Amino acid sequence: MHRDSNSLHATVQSIFPNWRFAAADSVAGYGLHGAYFIGEKQPISDRRREWRDALSSFAIELSNGDGAVLNGCGGAVLGGPLEALRHLLRVLESFPAGDSLRPGELVTPGTLTDAPAIAARETWSTTLKGIALEGLRLELR
């Protein structure tokens, strides 16, 4: 999203027109998101409170095959992903002429651990505690 200079503190900007860039551009621009992995949708309608609580309190361990381990939690991002989303919505509301969120848009509220340097031929995995989601394993080629 592009906003005027008064809102730079609350939004993410891109040096690439229309947010179109390749993975190498992301690295060159010191970005953290060159690609996304999106897991399966989770039904939450019958357990909203459980999911709300879990999203702000779950723990994550990020590790690679060389023994590097990073720890984080859902609350590391403005008190949790839902709080970060609420903050974004409040900021967007303060700019009546600006864009609002539209169905299908992807919002990444921040990183749960420090962002490690990664390289080809590494394998990274996550272990999650306190949330009904499985971790993942990613092999970089």
Side-chain angles (χ1 to χ4, degrees), residues 36-55:
Y36 298 103
F37 173 81
I38 300 174
E40 294 180 29
K41 288 185 178 183
Q42 301 295 315
I44 65 167
S45 60
D46 59 335
R47 300 180 356 221
R48 288 177 190 238
R49 181 171 294 209
E50 179 183 333
W51 277 99
R52 183 199 65 206
D53 294 345
L55 283 169

Side-chain angles (χ1 to χ4, degrees), residues 29-141:
Y30 299 103
L32 296 177
H33 298 308
Y36 298 103
F37 173 81
I38 300 174
E40 294 180 29
K41 288 185 178 183
Q42 301 295 315
I44 65 167
S45 60
D46 59 335
R47 300 180 356 221
R48 288 177 190 238
R49 181 171 294 209
E50 179 183 333
W51 277 99
R52 183 199 65 206
D53 294 345
L55 283 169
S56 63
S57 64
F58 78 96
I60 184 170
E61 179 182 279
L62 175 64
S63 58
N64 73 6
D66 293 334
V69 176
L70 298 164
N71 293 292
C73 66
V77 183
L78 290 173
L82 294 177
E83 288 303 317
L85 183 58
R86 279 187 193 100
H87 175 74
L88 172 62
L89 293 172
R90 280 188 220 111
V91 169
L92 292 175
E93 286 174 0
S94 70
F95 293 93
D99 292 334
S100 61
L101 289 181
R102 292 184 276 291
E105 287 189 307
L106 180 65
V107 176
T108 60
T111 182
L112 304 176
T113 68
D114 288 339
I118 61 173
R121 294 178 292 285
E122 287 184 337
T123 299
W124 288 86
S125 61
T126 60
T127 303
L128 304 171
K129 294 180 181 163
I131 193 165
L133 295 172
E134 290 184 29
L136 66 87
R137 184 173 182 261
L138 176 68
E139 294 180 27
L140 303 170
R141 297 180 181 186

